[in-house]
Amino acid sequence: MGTLRLPDVVPPPTEDCGRLKKAFQGWGTDEAAIISVLGHRNESQRRKIRETYQQLYNESLIDSLQSELSGDFRKSVILWTYDPPERDARLANEALKSRNKGINQLQVIVEIACASSPHHLVAVRHAYCSLYDCSLEEDITSNVSLPLQKILVGLVRSYRYDREVVDFDVANLEAAKLHEAIKAKQLDHDDIVWILGTRNAFQLKGTFQCYKQSYGNPIHEDIMRCGKGILESILKVVVWCLDTPEKHFAEVIRASIVGLGTDEDSLTRAIVTRAEIDMMKIRGEYFNMNKTSLDNAVIDDTSGDYKDFLMTLLGAKL
Amino acid sequence: MGTLRLPDVVPPPTEDCGRLKKAFQGWGTDEAAIISVLGHRNESQRRKIRETYQQLYNESLIDSLQSELSGDFRKSVILWTYDPPERDARLANEALKSRNKGINQLQVIVEIACASSPHHLVAVRHAYCSLYDCSLEEDITSNVSLPLQKILVGLVRSYRYDREVVDFDVANLEAAKLHEAIKAKQLDHDDIVWILGTRNAFQLKGTFQCYKQSYGNPIHEDIMRCGKGILESILKVVVWCLDTPEKHFAEVIRASIVGLGTDEDSLTRAIVTRAEIDMMKIRGEYFNMNKTSLDNAVIDDTSGDYKDFLMTLLGAKL
């Protein structure tokens, strides 16, 4: 369940577009109006607003936001306004083209491949081809070296059967295969790549349960014992995104806030991409993990329009 | 360009459904009426007929065809009436579940993966999950052994960028990689699987050109020199389906007809799946390869309603 709040009566897109256009006009920009419109519209309503805006004013809403806003507020509003597959294709491209391709960057690709529906993943692959004139897996291969490349390509090419079906014989068998590979510290073993990149999330939850029952530890802990490299970290993210995406995103938000300074890109991504999906669960998980409220943490670490916008997506009152 | 002929004025679906219903009623079935309706409607028109039939008579058109028709005629009309992604998912499943999994069966999967649009391939994967409660790649893995399994899984997981873009530096580089692997007779080499399962068809046409220029032979001939097994045959089909699908399908039709007896399943599949796509080109290629007409060959080797239906899809007069 998401945290996005919609008004009881949603105004027609022409009215929303009029308010946005007015917010951009004259000296200064009316950020509050932009938040009050876009921050309370769901995916399909935002799509209609984008289309209507283009028809009415013969210009792109994204371009207007780009020229009128700035900083983290701009980045978060624009990510929220893109069609989700295009948004994720852009996030994946940014990750692949960044100079530093650490866990903070590459986990974006795992989130898209493992914490989304098969339909959404395919839509992202389609959007990626349209935007960048090559496929997502071609860009992974050009920009990420083995063995990570093998894992990521395997994940983005999946089309997981998405009904709630678990075969516990298969789960036990594959838990054993995963255990063998992890014990041998072969984290890019074909069995690991195939199982994590092919089986559906329900089946894999069963496999992870069997793993813990048979071998004593949660699988992600055994993975992390193999070493301290990015391969171990990415595989932990894979397991969490498949098994308990709310834990993964609660951890992304915590890591973005903890210590000196804030990693605004990660904070924005987690809230923008999950506000309509499972932010309620993420908020609960955040509290379980940190014994403090996610909302207070965001309020403490952000400010201004950026804070207001994130809090709006987190369900602050209309 | 396809060979399907549509009437100048297409009747409304209710009228088509009425004619079909009438053809099923009473003693005997009016096969000519069925051919005259379904054999002259394109994909979206057939979809509307299926939907309208279900609404009007509260029964499935496919079920009615199943109970009223028989033999190869029934099989061809039903394949033609299915939504193409469902049709191809069923063909793939039939191939994977057949006792004899030779080239005639497994090439069906290559056709779906390499001679269709990326969008169609994804739609087939989606239909497969809905019909069989597991993914296409899971069923390939359970039913086909290595090294073929590796090739087929790599192909069905592709989402090829489908615009006409060729980078000749990449083409030369990858022609060399393919040549290395073929020379070493390692036909399931990671490079082969990755290049043929990831690059778009235009890029691959460039790569195959570079291969011939640099190494003297067409790549499929060098592949066939590696041995006489199914692996070589499948890879030849992969190359043809990507490079010149019309050659592949002309060859499928020729092989289905040549010698004693006819392989009706292959003949039906080639004509039903390509009648709306590139049957004109296939007809031309068939003539180039065999110096006889495809239409005459089909007429000589088939009979009755089955012949009439295939000839209708091949563009026989309304």
Side-chain angles (χ1 to χ4, degrees):
Chain A
M1 214 185 145
T3 48
L4 182 68
R5 277 175 192 253
L6 304 184
D8 294 333
V9 180
V10 177
T14 44
E15 192 180 317
D16 280 344
C17 289
R19 282 181 69 197
L20 290 170
K21 184 71 178 171
K22 201 171 152 213
F24 298 146
Q25 281 166 340
W27 285 8
T29 302
D30 183 353
E31 283 86 359
I34 294 169
I35 296 174
S36 127
V37 174
L38 292 174
H40 296 290
R41 299 293 179 274
N42 66 22
E43 183 182 332
S44 70
Q45 292 157 353
R46 299 196 302 278
R47 180 185 308 121
K48 278 191 201 123
I49 292 175
R50 279 198 315 276
E51 291 166 359
T52 308
Y53 193 94
Q54 179 71 45
Q55 284 162 8
L56 287 177
Y57 308 115
N58 200 26
E59 60 186 351
S60 138
L61 175 58
I62 299 279
D63 289 348
S64 298
L65 293 167
Q66 191 79 42
S67 66
E68 295 294 332
L69 311 182
S70 66
D72 295 315
F73 177 56
R74 170 166 73 183
K75 188 156 186 186
S76 57
V77 172
I78 287 181
L79 278 181
W80 177 250
T81 305
Y82 278 129
D83 200 34
E86 179 175 350
R87 174 198 72 205
D88 285 355
R90 289 180 182 275
L91 287 171
N93 184 260
E94 193 185 0
L96 290 170
K97 296 298 155 86
S98 66
R99 254 190 243 172
N100 174 22
K101 281 187 273 286
I103 179 74
N104 271 356
Q105 287 73 41
L106 295 183
Q107 68 180 351
V108 174
I109 293 168
V110 178
E111 291 167 3
I112 295 167
C114 301
S116 314
S117 71
H119 179 78
H120 180 74
L121 172 57
V122 167
V124 174
R125 291 171 81 184
H126 179 76
Y128 200 98
C129 287
S130 305
L131 288 167
Y132 303 110
D133 278 7
C134 78
S135 64
L136 175 56
E137 50 268 49
E138 286 174 299
D139 260 356
I140 294 173
T141 309
S142 321
N143 291 286
V144 182
S145 51
L146 288 167
L148 261 188
Q149 180 197 107
K150 183 177 168 185
I151 308 264
L152 293 179
V153 168
L155 294 174
V156 302
R157 303 185 87 191
S158 67
Y159 190 92
R160 302 174 197 275
Y161 170 66
D162 66 348
R163 263 176 286 169
E164 205 161 333
V165 177
V166 183
D167 179 329
F168 275 99
D169 291 338
V170 170
N172 266 308
L173 192 78
E174 297 192 341
K177 285 186 181 180
L178 294 173
H179 183 69
E180 273 304 300
I182 292 169
K183 211 173 60 181
K185 298 200 179 185
Q186 293 186 319
L187 295 187
D188 66 335
H189 191 285
D190 286 352
D191 284 343
I192 293 192
V193 175
W194 192 85
I195 293 168
L196 297 181
T198 309
R199 293 302 189 194
N200 80 69
F202 297 103
Q203 177 68 33
L204 285 168
K205 279 180 216 276
T207 302
F208 300 150
Q209 274 172 31
C210 292
Y211 187 101
K212 184 156 185 260
Q213 279 161 15
S214 303
Y215 308 107
N217 298 316
I219 185 168
H220 69 270
E221 290 184 8
D222 281 355
I223 289 169
M224 295 306 280
R225 279 194 198 96
C226 291
K228 292 192 188 326
I230 185 169
L231 185 59
E232 288 81 12
S233 306
I234 280 286
L235 277 177
K236 181 190 161 187
V237 173
V238 172
V239 170
W240 278 26
C241 281
L242 288 162
D243 195 29
T244 47
E246 64 278 9
K247 271 196 191 171
H248 167 72
F249 286 102
E251 174 59 25
V252 168
I253 294 174
R254 193 203 60 80
S256 73
I257 281 173
V258 78
L260 275 176
T262 306
D263 171 1
E264 283 86 1
D265 282 355
S266 297
L267 179 63
T268 299
R269 186 185 81 246
I271 293 179
V272 163
T273 62
R274 307 307 286 195
E276 278 179 283
I277 300 179
D278 56 359
M279 190 47 81
M280 284 291 193
K281 264 176 140 178
I282 296 172
R283 178 187 274 148
E285 195 57 46
Y286 189 94
F287 189 82
N288 289 342
M289 290 162 80
N290 305 294
K291 306 300 167 216
T292 61
S293 120
L294 183 153
D295 296 52
N296 287 343
V298 173
I299 290 170
D300 287 348
D301 257 58
T302 57
S303 63
D305 301 317
Y306 177 54
K307 176 174 83 180
D308 293 346
F309 183 62
L310 293 188
M311 292 314 296
T312 301
L313 298 188
L314 288 171
K317 283 260 181 285
L318 286 173
Chain B
M1 214 183 144
T3 47
L4 182 69
R5 279 176 192 253
L6 304 184
D8 294 334
V9 180
V10 177
T14 45
E15 193 180 316
D16 280 344
C17 289
R19 284 182 68 198
L20 291 170
K21 185 70 180 171
K22 201 171 152 216
F24 299 145
Q25 282 165 340
W27 284 8
T29 303
D30 183 354
E31 284 85 0
I34 294 170
I35 295 174
S36 128
V37 174
L38 292 174
H40 296 290
R41 299 293 180 272
N42 66 23
E43 182 184 332
S44 71
Q45 291 158 354
R46 299 196 303 278
R47 180 184 309 121
K48 278 191 202 124
I49 291 175
R50 281 199 315 275
E51 291 165 359
T52 308
Y53 192 94
Q54 179 71 45
Q55 284 162 9
L56 286 177
Y57 309 115
N58 200 24
E59 60 185 351
S60 139
L61 174 58
I62 300 279
D63 289 348
S64 299
L65 293 167
Q66 191 79 43
S67 66
E68 296 294 333
L69 311 182
S70 66
D72 295 315
F73 177 56
R74 169 165 73 185
K75 188 156 185 187
S76 57
V77 173
I78 288 181
L79 279 181
W80 176 249
T81 304
Y82 278 129
D83 200 33
E86 179 174 350
R87 174 199 71 206
D88 285 354
R90 288 180 183 274
L91 287 171
N93 185 260
E94 194 186 356
L96 290 170
K97 298 295 154 88
S98 67
R99 256 190 240 171
N100 173 23
K101 281 187 274 287
I103 179 75
N104 271 356
Q105 288 72 41
L106 295 183
Q107 68 181 351
V108 175
I109 293 168
V110 178
E111 292 167 3
I112 295 167
C114 302
S116 314
S117 70
H119 178 77
H120 180 75
L121 172 57
V122 166
V124 174
R125 292 171 80 184
H126 178 75
Y128 200 99
C129 288
S130 305
L131 288 167
Y132 303 110
D133 278 9
C134 78
S135 64
L136 175 56
E137 51 267 48
E138 285 174 299
D139 260 356
I140 293 174
T141 309
S142 321
N143 292 286
V144 182
S145 52
L146 287 168
L148 262 187
Q149 179 196 108
K150 183 177 167 186
I151 308 263
L152 293 178
V153 168
L155 294 174
V156 303
R157 303 185 86 190
S158 67
Y159 190 93
R160 300 174 199 275
Y161 169 67
D162 67 347
R163 264 177 285 169
E164 204 162 334
V165 175
V166 182
D167 179 330
F168 275 98
D169 291 339
V170 170
N172 266 307
L173 192 77
E174 297 192 341
K177 286 185 180 181
L178 293 173
H179 183 70
E180 273 304 301
I182 292 169
K183 210 172 59 180
K185 297 198 178 185
Q186 294 187 321
L187 294 186
D188 66 335
H189 191 284
D190 286 352
D191 284 341
I192 293 192
V193 175
W194 192 84
I195 293 168
L196 297 181
T198 310
R199 294 302 189 193
N200 79 71
F202 297 104
Q203 176 68 35
L204 284 168
K205 278 179 216 275
T207 302
F208 300 151
Q209 275 173 29
C210 292
Y211 187 100
K212 183 157 185 258
Q213 278 162 15
S214 303
Y215 308 108
N217 298 316
I219 184 167
H220 68 270
E221 290 184 7
D222 281 356
I223 289 169
M224 294 307 280
R225 279 194 199 96
C226 291
K228 293 193 187 326
I230 186 170
L231 185 59
E232 288 80 12
S233 306
I234 279 285
L235 277 176
K236 181 191 162 186
V237 173
V238 172
V239 169
W240 278 25
C241 282
L242 288 162
D243 195 29
T244 48
E246 64 279 9
K247 272 196 193 173
H248 166 72
F249 286 101
E251 174 58 26
V252 168
I253 294 174
R254 193 202 61 82
S256 74
I257 282 174
V258 79
L260 275 176
T262 305
D263 172 1
E264 284 85 2
D265 282 354
S266 298
L267 180 62
T268 300
R269 185 185 82 245
I271 294 179
V272 163
T273 62
R274 308 308 287 196
E276 278 179 284
I277 299 180
D278 55 0
M279 191 45 83
M280 284 290 192
K281 264 176 139 177
I282 295 171
R283 177 186 276 148
E285 195 57 46
Y286 189 94
F287 189 81
N288 289 341
M289 289 162 81
N290 305 294
K291 307 297 167 219
T292 61
S293 119
L294 184 151
D295 297 53
N296 288 343
V298 173
I299 290 170
D300 286 347
D301 259 58
T302 57
S303 63
D305 301 318
Y306 177 53
K307 176 174 83 178
D308 293 346
F309 183 61
L310 294 187
M311 292 314 296
T312 301
L313 298 188
L314 288 171
K317 282 261 181 285
L318 285 172

Coordinates of all heavy atoms in Angstrom, one line a residue, chain B residues 173-221:
Chain B
L173 N 34.2 -6.4 -34.9 CA 34.7 -7.0 -33.6 C 34.0 -8.3 -33.3 O 34.6 -9.3 -32.9 CB 34.5 -6.0 -32.5 CG 35.2 -6.2 -31.2 CD1 36.7 -5.9 -31.4 CD2 34.6 -5.4 -30.1
E174 N 32.7 -8.2 -33.4 CA 31.9 -9.4 -33.0 C 31.9 -10.5 -34.1 O 31.8 -11.7 -33.7 CB 30.4 -8.9 -32.7 CG 30.5 -8.0 -31.5 CD 29.2 -7.7 -30.8 OE1 28.1 -7.9 -31.4 OE2 29.2 -7.2 -29.6
A175 N 32.1 -10.1 -35.3 CA 32.3 -11.2 -36.4 C 33.6 -12.0 -36.0 O 33.6 -13.2 -36.1 CB 32.5 -10.5 -37.7
A176 N 34.6 -11.2 -35.5 CA 35.8 -11.9 -35.1 C 35.6 -12.8 -33.9 O 36.1 -14.0 -33.9 CB 36.9 -10.9 -34.8
K177 N 34.8 -12.4 -33.0 CA 34.5 -13.2 -31.8 C 33.7 -14.5 -32.2 O 34.0 -15.6 -31.7 CB 33.7 -12.4 -30.8 CG 34.5 -11.4 -30.0 CD 33.6 -10.8 -28.9 CE 34.4 -9.7 -28.1 NZ 33.5 -9.1 -27.1
L178 N 32.8 -14.3 -33.1 CA 32.0 -15.4 -33.6 C 32.9 -16.4 -34.3 O 32.8 -17.6 -34.1 CB 30.8 -15.0 -34.5 CG 29.7 -14.2 -33.8 CD1 28.8 -13.6 -34.9 CD2 29.0 -15.0 -32.8
H179 N 33.8 -15.9 -35.1 CA 34.7 -16.7 -35.9 C 35.6 -17.5 -35.0 O 35.8 -18.7 -35.2 CB 35.5 -15.8 -36.8 CG 36.4 -16.6 -37.7 ND1 36.0 -17.4 -38.7 CD2 37.8 -16.8 -37.7 CE1 37.0 -18.0 -39.3 NE2 38.1 -17.7 -38.7
E180 N 36.1 -16.9 -34.0 CA 37.0 -17.6 -33.0 C 36.3 -18.8 -32.4 O 36.8 -19.9 -32.3 CB 37.4 -16.6 -31.8 CG 38.6 -15.8 -32.1 CD 39.8 -16.6 -32.4 OE1 40.2 -17.4 -31.6 OE2 40.4 -16.4 -33.5
A181 N 35.0 -18.5 -31.9 CA 34.3 -19.6 -31.2 C 33.9 -20.7 -32.2 O 34.0 -21.9 -31.9 CB 33.0 -19.0 -30.6
I182 N 33.6 -20.3 -33.4 CA 33.2 -21.4 -34.4 C 34.4 -22.2 -34.8 O 34.3 -23.4 -34.9 CB 32.5 -20.7 -35.7 CG1 31.2 -20.1 -35.3 CG2 32.4 -21.7 -36.8 CD1 30.6 -19.2 -36.4
K183 N 35.5 -21.5 -35.0 CA 36.8 -22.2 -35.4 C 37.1 -23.2 -34.3 O 37.6 -24.3 -34.6 CB 37.9 -21.1 -35.5 CG 39.0 -21.5 -36.5 CD 40.0 -20.4 -36.7 CE 40.7 -20.0 -35.4 NZ 41.6 -18.9 -35.6
A184 N 36.9 -22.8 -33.0 CA 37.2 -23.8 -31.9 C 36.1 -24.8 -31.7 O 36.1 -25.5 -30.7 CB 37.5 -23.0 -30.6
K185 N 35.0 -24.7 -32.6 CA 33.9 -25.6 -32.5 C 33.1 -25.4 -31.1 O 32.5 -26.4 -30.6 CB 34.2 -27.1 -32.7 CG 34.7 -27.3 -34.1 CD 34.7 -28.8 -34.5 CE 35.2 -28.9 -35.9 NZ 35.0 -30.3 -36.4
Q186 N 33.2 -24.2 -30.5 CA 32.5 -24.0 -29.2 C 31.2 -23.2 -29.5 O 31.2 -22.0 -29.3 CB 33.4 -23.2 -28.3 CG 34.7 -24.0 -27.9 CD 35.4 -23.2 -26.8 OE1 35.6 -22.0 -26.9 NE2 35.9 -23.9 -25.8
L187 N 30.3 -24.0 -30.0 CA 29.0 -23.3 -30.5 C 28.2 -22.8 -29.4 O 27.2 -22.0 -29.6 CB 28.2 -24.2 -31.4 CG 29.0 -24.6 -32.7 CD1 28.0 -25.4 -33.6 CD2 29.4 -23.4 -33.5
D188 N 28.4 -23.2 -28.1 CA 27.7 -22.6 -27.0 C 28.6 -21.6 -26.2 O 28.3 -21.4 -25.1 CB 27.1 -23.7 -26.1 CG 28.2 -24.4 -25.4 OD1 29.4 -24.5 -25.9 OD2 28.0 -25.0 -24.3
H189 N 29.6 -21.1 -26.9 CA 30.5 -20.1 -26.2 C 29.6 -18.9 -25.8 O 28.7 -18.5 -26.5 CB 31.5 -19.7 -27.2 CG 32.7 -18.9 -26.6 ND1 32.5 -17.6 -26.3 CD2 33.9 -19.3 -26.3 CE1 33.7 -17.2 -25.8 NE2 34.5 -18.2 -25.8
D190 N 30.0 -18.4 -24.6 CA 29.3 -17.2 -24.1 C 29.2 -16.1 -25.1 O 28.2 -15.4 -25.2 CB 30.0 -16.6 -22.8 CG 29.8 -17.5 -21.6 OD1 28.9 -18.5 -21.7 OD2 30.4 -17.3 -20.6
D191 N 30.2 -15.9 -25.9 CA 30.2 -14.8 -26.9 C 29.1 -15.0 -28.0 O 28.4 -14.1 -28.3 CB 31.5 -14.7 -27.7 CG 32.6 -14.0 -26.8 OD1 32.2 -13.3 -25.8 OD2 33.8 -14.2 -27.1
I192 N 29.0 -16.3 -28.4 CA 27.9 -16.6 -29.4 C 26.5 -16.4 -28.8 O 25.7 -15.7 -29.4 CB 28.0 -18.1 -29.9 CG1 29.3 -18.2 -30.7 CG2 26.8 -18.5 -30.7 CD1 29.5 -19.5 -31.5
V193 N 26.3 -16.9 -27.6 CA 25.0 -16.8 -26.9 C 24.7 -15.3 -26.7 O 23.6 -14.8 -27.0 CB 25.0 -17.5 -25.6 CG1 23.7 -17.3 -24.8 CG2 25.3 -19.0 -25.9
W194 N 25.7 -14.5 -26.3 CA 25.4 -13.1 -26.0 C 25.2 -12.3 -27.2 O 24.2 -11.6 -27.3 CB 26.6 -12.5 -25.2 CG 26.2 -11.2 -24.6 CD1 25.5 -10.9 -23.5 CD2 26.3 -9.9 -25.3 NE1 25.2 -9.6 -23.3 CE2 25.7 -8.9 -24.4 CE3 26.9 -9.5 -26.4 CZ2 25.7 -7.6 -24.7 CZ3 26.9 -8.1 -26.7 CH2 26.3 -7.2 -25.9
I195 N 26.0 -12.5 -28.2 CA 25.8 -11.7 -29.5 C 24.5 -12.0 -30.1 O 23.7 -11.1 -30.5 CB 27.1 -11.9 -30.4 CG1 28.3 -11.3 -29.8 CG2 26.8 -11.3 -31.8 CD1 29.6 -11.7 -30.4
L196 N 24.2 -13.3 -30.3 CA 23.0 -13.7 -31.1 C 21.8 -13.4 -30.2 O 20.7 -13.2 -30.8 CB 23.1 -15.1 -31.5 CG 24.2 -15.5 -32.5 CD1 24.1 -17.0 -32.9 CD2 24.1 -14.6 -33.8
G197 N 21.9 -13.4 -28.9 CA 20.8 -13.2 -28.0 C 20.5 -11.8 -27.6 O 19.6 -11.6 -26.8
T198 N 21.4 -10.9 -28.0 CA 21.2 -9.5 -27.5 C 21.2 -8.5 -28.6 O 20.4 -7.6 -28.5 CB 22.4 -9.2 -26.5 OG1 22.6 -10.2 -25.6 CG2 22.2 -7.8 -25.8
R199 N 22.0 -8.6 -29.6 CA 22.1 -7.5 -30.6 C 20.9 -7.5 -31.4 O 20.2 -8.6 -31.6 CB 23.3 -7.8 -31.5 CG 24.7 -7.7 -30.8 CD 24.9 -6.3 -30.2 NE 26.2 -6.1 -29.7 CZ 26.6 -5.1 -28.9 NH1 25.7 -4.2 -28.5 NH2 27.8 -5.0 -28.5
N200 N 20.6 -6.3 -32.0 CA 19.4 -6.2 -32.8 C 19.6 -6.8 -34.2 O 20.8 -7.0 -34.6 CB 18.9 -4.8 -32.8 CG 19.7 -3.9 -33.8 OD1 19.5 -4.1 -35.0 ND2 20.5 -3.0 -33.3
A201 N 18.5 -7.1 -34.9 CA 18.6 -7.8 -36.1 C 19.4 -7.0 -37.2 O 20.2 -7.6 -38.0 CB 17.3 -8.1 -36.7
F202 N 19.3 -5.7 -37.2 CA 20.0 -4.9 -38.2 C 21.6 -5.0 -37.9 O 22.4 -5.1 -38.8 CB 19.6 -3.5 -38.2 CG 18.1 -3.3 -38.6 CD1 17.2 -3.1 -37.6 CD2 17.7 -3.5 -39.9 CE1 15.8 -3.0 -38.0 CE2 16.4 -3.4 -40.2 CZ 15.4 -3.2 -39.3
Q203 N 21.9 -4.8 -36.6 CA 23.3 -4.9 -36.3 C 23.8 -6.3 -36.7 O 24.9 -6.4 -37.2 CB 23.4 -4.7 -34.8 CG 24.8 -4.9 -34.2 CD 25.8 -3.8 -34.7 OE1 25.4 -2.7 -34.9 NE2 27.0 -4.2 -34.9
L204 N 23.1 -7.3 -36.4 CA 23.5 -8.7 -36.7 C 23.7 -8.9 -38.2 O 24.6 -9.6 -38.7 CB 22.6 -9.7 -36.1 CG 22.8 -9.9 -34.6 CD1 21.6 -10.7 -33.9 CD2 24.1 -10.5 -34.2
K205 N 22.8 -8.4 -39.0 CA 23.0 -8.5 -40.5 C 24.3 -7.9 -40.8 O 25.0 -8.5 -41.7 CB 21.9 -7.7 -41.2 CG 20.5 -8.4 -41.3 CD 19.5 -7.5 -42.1 CE 18.1 -7.6 -41.5 NZ 17.4 -8.7 -42.1
G206 N 24.7 -6.8 -40.2 CA 26.0 -6.2 -40.5 C 27.1 -7.1 -40.0 O 28.1 -7.3 -40.7
T207 N 26.9 -7.7 -38.9 CA 27.9 -8.6 -38.4 C 28.1 -9.8 -39.3 O 29.3 -10.2 -39.6 CB 27.5 -9.1 -37.0 OG1 27.4 -8.0 -36.1 CG2 28.6 -10.0 -36.4
F208 N 27.0 -10.4 -39.8 CA 27.1 -11.5 -40.7 C 27.8 -11.1 -42.0 O 28.6 -11.9 -42.6 CB 25.7 -12.1 -41.0 CG 25.0 -12.6 -39.7 CD1 23.6 -12.6 -39.7 CD2 25.7 -13.1 -38.6 CE1 23.0 -13.1 -38.5 CE2 25.1 -13.5 -37.5 CZ 23.7 -13.5 -37.4
Q209 N 27.5 -9.9 -42.5 CA 28.2 -9.4 -43.7 C 29.7 -9.3 -43.4 O 30.5 -9.7 -44.3 CB 27.7 -8.0 -44.0 CG 26.5 -7.8 -44.9 CD 26.1 -6.4 -45.0 OE1 26.9 -5.5 -44.9 NE2 24.8 -6.2 -45.1
C210 N 30.1 -8.7 -42.3 CA 31.5 -8.6 -42.0 C 32.2 -9.9 -41.9 O 33.3 -10.1 -42.3 CB 31.7 -7.8 -40.7 SG 31.2 -6.1 -40.7
Y211 N 31.4 -10.9 -41.3 CA 32.0 -12.3 -41.2 C 32.3 -12.8 -42.5 O 33.4 -13.3 -42.8 CB 30.9 -13.1 -40.5 CG 31.4 -14.5 -40.2 CD1 31.8 -14.8 -38.9 CD2 31.5 -15.5 -41.1 CE1 32.3 -16.1 -38.5 CE2 32.0 -16.8 -40.8 CZ 32.4 -17.1 -39.5 OH 32.8 -18.3 -39.2
K212 N 31.4 -12.7 -43.5 CA 31.6 -13.2 -44.8 C 32.8 -12.5 -45.5 O 33.7 -13.2 -46.1 CB 30.4 -13.1 -45.7 CG 30.5 -13.8 -47.0 CD 29.2 -14.2 -47.6 CE 29.4 -14.9 -48.9 NZ 29.2 -14.0 -50.1
Q213 N 32.8 -11.2 -45.4 CA 33.9 -10.5 -46.0 C 35.3 -10.9 -45.4 O 36.3 -11.0 -46.1 CB 33.7 -9.0 -45.8 CG 32.8 -8.3 -46.8 CD 32.2 -7.0 -46.3 OE1 32.8 -6.4 -45.4 NE2 31.2 -6.5 -47.0
S214 N 35.3 -11.0 -44.1 CA 36.6 -11.3 -43.4 C 37.1 -12.7 -43.5 O 38.3 -13.0 -43.6 CB 36.6 -10.9 -42.0 OG 36.2 -9.6 -41.8
Y215 N 36.1 -13.7 -43.5 CA 36.5 -15.1 -43.4 C 36.1 -15.9 -44.6 O 36.3 -17.1 -44.5 CB 36.0 -15.6 -42.0 CG 36.4 -14.7 -40.9 CD1 35.5 -14.0 -40.2 CD2 37.7 -14.6 -40.5 CE1 35.8 -13.1 -39.2 CE2 38.1 -13.8 -39.5 CZ 37.2 -13.0 -38.8 OH 37.6 -12.2 -37.9
G216 N 35.5 -15.3 -45.6 CA 35.2 -16.0 -46.8 C 33.9 -16.7 -47.0 O 33.4 -16.8 -48.1
N217 N 33.4 -17.3 -45.9 CA 32.1 -18.1 -46.0 C 31.0 -17.4 -45.3 O 31.2 -16.7 -44.3 CB 32.3 -19.5 -45.4 CG 33.3 -20.3 -46.2 OD1 33.4 -20.3 -47.4 ND2 34.2 -20.9 -45.4
P218 N 29.8 -17.6 -45.7 CA 28.6 -17.2 -44.9 C 28.7 -17.9 -43.5 O 29.1 -19.1 -43.5 CB 27.4 -17.7 -45.6 CG 27.8 -18.0 -47.0 CD 29.3 -18.3 -46.9
I219 N 28.4 -17.2 -42.5 CA 28.6 -17.8 -41.1 C 27.8 -19.1 -40.9 O 28.3 -20.0 -40.3 CB 28.2 -16.7 -40.0 CG1 28.5 -17.3 -38.6 CG2 26.7 -16.3 -40.2 CD1 28.4 -16.2 -37.6
H220 N 26.6 -19.2 -41.6 CA 25.9 -20.5 -41.3 C 26.6 -21.7 -42.0 O 26.5 -22.8 -41.5 CB 24.4 -20.4 -41.8 CG 24.3 -20.3 -43.3 ND1 24.3 -19.1 -44.0 CD2 24.1 -21.2 -44.2 CE1 24.1 -19.3 -45.3 NE2 24.0 -20.6 -45.5
E221 N 27.3 -21.4 -43.0 CA 28.1 -22.6 -43.6 C 29.2 -23.0 -42.7 O 29.4 -24.2 -42.5 CB 28.6 -22.2 -45.0 CG 27.5 -22.0 -46.0 CD 28.1 -21.7 -47.4 OE1 29.3 -21.7 -47.6 OE2 27.2 -21.4 -48.3

